[in-house]
Amino acid sequence: NANGVAELGYVWNSNSPAAAGFNSGLYPPLNQWSFVALVVQTNQATLYLYYIDPITSQPVLNSAVNPILHSNEMFNVAGTIGTDPVAYTARVFNGYIDDVAVFNSAMTGDQLLAQFSKGVGLSGPVAATIGGQPQSITTYAGNTVKIAATGINGSSPFTYQWQFAGGGNVTDGGNISGAQTPTLTITGASTTNSGTYKLVVTNPVGPTSSSNAVVNIVSPVANSYESVVAGLNPFAFWKLNETSDPSVGGVVAWDYMGGHTGTYQVGALNGFNGIVGPEAPALPGFPASYTALGTVSNTANSYVTASAGNLIATNLTYAMWIKPSGPVENWAGLLMDRGGAGEGLGFGGTVDGTGMSELGYTWNANSTWSWNSSLYPPANQWSFVAMVIEPTKATLYLMNSSGGIQSATNAVAQDSETFGVAWHIGDDAQGGTTGGRTFPGSISDVAVFLSALSPSQVTALYNAGLGNVAPPPVTINIAPAGPGKVTLTWSQGTLLQATNLAGPWTSTSLTSGSTVETTNSSTFFKVQVQ
């Protein structure tokens, strides 16, 4: 953190990156005593950090959960207190340690709070605290929205009640009926769900309210690039068109599909800094005024981070638009994850006559980096690039106005790989913290699909950027609605009807969901979409 203190962490599962790479966000304060604990269970591990605030004299109770499976592990073979017994002197704790206890059970939050309370002289129940506040979200209509408060500590029992302001599904007092767990789930969200949410946690001391989380439900622009991406149901989709100043820290990069919110690092650039994205009229699939992520090579923290947890994929697609500002150095990252064995899309080790590196990818336990794609994105021009992983091959795509549609296939078996643990957009963390593997240029509309998109689907994405969007298919559903009646539903367009298949066809004023009487021996319907 800003004080140079590393977060609390732990090692388990045979030194798995999914455990050692877990980000707890728990930073013990300097020059004062804190109570810390690690509780390992089969389905999760929880880190605790409790201390007394020196200003308010009130207890600060924080915890963080890593919700992954934990195997049986050997312990206490050669324990050391205050150091990690490896050949690095930097792994010696700098400070004081007292009263170390090991329990052969998973202690409860109440049991740990009782120990802390005894140590600091608290008596009676302790008010509930919310360490992980619910986060705001912007997403497309129809998606499932989840808002959660985490790190809830204090004296049990707890009761939970979500509240809403802004319209839709509200009962007396703003309480949402049935929303009485730490996580609120909204299935098939619509614009009526846009508004402000908060969680009220009540324990024997009384109620504690979370901070507000703003939910913004939007719809893709019709016949745009984003509409085609959304139609393919991506796992994650960062448009990267934010305009808040990244240098202040904590600026959000919204995931419009999966809720895997990213964070601009302080050395990154965006619309605030005048970074221009792919735009109409050159690329009609995008708005006429659009911004993008700007990343700068050899500059610390010039990228966006995001995480979806510890996931496994056999079929996977990464797709995005990029505009190099000049020659790209070997091994620069576009969407790389070093939280596991190493996977992602970036650049390889061969350069062309202009000094531009070829597109490359990392998979198969970090073993594919030496493969040569011979795909060289041009500088100062927007290109569409994609990586498609399948069990029998990996394919890279490069598409732009100067080179047309190009691809290269590595026809070797591709394994099931861990991904999404610690993404860097515009960087490869393998290059360290100084930006040695940071991409120089602009990046826009990064999408992750949990499937291997077909060549036609990848090409359709590129064409959508060019403004060449095929009208989506339309289906009319006809359902009985009682004697002599049927109900017609369709997704979009104008309903036409005729008493003969050959016509003439006439336009109706009916809207989807209308019920009509079956007054003719036969009636034909079709929908016209423009």
Side-chain angles (χ1 to χ4, degrees):
N1 64 9
N3 294 324
V5 178
E7 65 185 349
L8 288 178
Y10 77 108
V11 176
W12 205 265
N13 287 355
S14 300
N15 201 26
S16 163
F22 168 64
N23 299 122
S24 72
L26 303 180
Y27 300 93
L30 294 172
N31 301 312
Q32 74 176 75
W33 285 101
S34 295
F35 175 80
V36 299
L38 165 68
V39 177
V40 176
Q41 298 169 271
T42 302
N43 63 338
Q44 66 182 34
T46 307
L47 290 165
Y48 293 85
L49 170 63
Y50 293 171
Y51 58 90
I52 298 295
D53 188 306
I55 298 176
T56 65
S57 298
Q58 296 301 307
V60 177
L61 311 177
N62 292 314
S63 62
V65 176
N66 189 13
I68 64 172
L69 296 177
H70 287 72
S71 60
N72 291 332
E73 194 89 3
M74 290 196 303
F75 75 101
N76 206 33
V77 178
T80 57
I81 297 175
T83 184
D84 183 351
V86 294
Y88 304 105
T89 56
R91 292 192 178 180
V92 177
F93 173 70
N94 184 26
Y96 301 132
I97 301 175
D98 195 26
D99 287 80
V100 177
V102 178
F103 300 89
N104 216 1
S105 62
M107 304 205 74
T108 66
D110 278 341
Q111 290 173 319
L112 294 172
L113 181 59
Q115 294 179 46
F116 171 71
S117 296
K118 181 63 70 174
V120 299
L122 294 176
S123 59
V126 178
T129 63
I130 304 172
Q133 297 291 338
Q135 300 298 301
S136 298
I137 185 171
T138 296
T139 190
Y140 287 137
N143 289 338
T144 296
V145 173
K146 287 188 177 182
I147 318 169
T150 60
I152 298 173
N153 292 283
S155 300
S156 65
F158 301 105
T159 60
Y160 308 97
Q161 178 62 63
W162 284 95
Q163 296 183 341
F164 176 67
N169 196 29
V170 181
T171 59
D172 42 342
N175 291 341
I176 302 174
S177 177
Q180 296 172 322
T181 66
T183 299
L184 174 65
T185 301
I186 305 171
T187 303
S190 68
T191 54
T192 60
N193 299 117
S194 294
T196 302
Y197 294 78
K198 72 175 181 179
L199 176 66
V200 178
V201 182
T202 304
N203 77 341
V205 177
T208 299
S209 294
S210 73
S211 60
N212 290 334
V214 177
V215 173
N216 186 27
I217 308 299
V218 299
S219 296
V221 176
N223 299 321
S224 66
Y225 178 79
E226 66 171 334
S227 70
V228 176
V229 172
L232 292 173
N233 193 32
F235 174 73
F237 181 39
W238 300 277
K239 294 170 66 174
L240 302 175
N241 64 335
E242 287 77 23
T243 57
S244 297
D245 183 4
S247 68
V248 303
V251 172
V252 167
W254 297 112
D255 170 12
Y256 282 71
M257 287 298 299
H260 307 293
T261 301
T263 304
Y264 286 86
Q265 301 304 292
V266 295
L269 307 173
N270 65 9
F272 176 85
N273 310 100
I275 303 300
V276 177
E279 292 181 330
L283 292 169
F286 296 93
S289 179
Y290 200 54
T291 63
L293 164 68
T295 52
V296 185
S297 62
N298 299 310
T299 298
N301 302 312
S302 184
Y303 48 85
V304 166
T305 59
S307 177
N310 190 41
L311 305 176
I312 302 291
T314 302
N315 295 279
L316 187 68
T317 300
Y318 289 174
M320 68 190 73
W321 289 80
I322 66 170
K323 183 181 181 182
S325 58
V328 179
E329 297 179 359
N330 296 158
W331 322 122
L334 291 173
L335 182 58
M336 295 292 299
D337 175 19
R338 294 291 179 177
E343 62 81 25
L345 172 64
F347 287 80
T350 301
V351 299
D352 66 6
T354 69
M356 178 68 69
S357 296
E358 65 184 347
L359 287 178
Y361 80 106
T362 299
W363 202 260
N364 283 0
N366 198 29
S367 68
T368 62
W369 55 268
S370 60
W371 173 69
N372 299 123
S373 73
S374 298
L375 300 176
Y376 300 95
N380 301 309
Q381 178 182 339
W382 282 105
S383 296
F384 175 77
V385 298
M387 172 191 79
V388 178
I389 302 294
E390 301 175 74
T392 59
K393 63 183 178 181
T395 306
L396 298 185
Y397 293 88
L398 171 64
M399 304 179 186
N400 51 57
S401 59
S402 60
I405 297 174
Q406 304 175 64
S407 65
T409 299
N410 187 14
V412 300
Q414 309 291 311
D415 64 9
S416 296
E417 195 85 8
T418 300
F419 79 101
V421 179
W423 276 310
H424 280 200
I425 302 175
D427 176 72
D428 182 355
Q430 196 81 343
T433 60
T434 59
R437 292 192 179 185
T438 298
F439 169 74
S442 305
I443 301 175
S444 180
D445 289 70
V446 177
V448 175
F449 301 87
L450 299 185
S451 61
L453 295 187
S454 68
S456 62
Q457 288 175 315
V458 174
T459 303
L461 286 175
Y462 171 61
N463 285 331
L466 302 181
N468 302 325
V469 179
V474 179
T475 300
I476 306 174
N477 295 305
I478 304 178
K485 296 181 180 180
V486 293
T487 297
L488 306 174
T489 56
W490 61 97
S491 58
Q492 58 186 318
T494 302
L495 185 70
L496 309 179
Q497 71 177 32
T499 56
N500 187 295
L501 186 59
W505 292 88
T506 59
S507 176
T508 74
S509 60
L510 298 176
T511 59
S512 179
S514 296
T515 298
V516 300
E517 294 185 1
T518 55
T519 57
N520 299 295
S521 59
S522 61
T523 301
F524 299 88
F525 295 95
K526 67 180 179 181
V527 170
Q528 184 179 61
V529 179
Q530 297 180 340

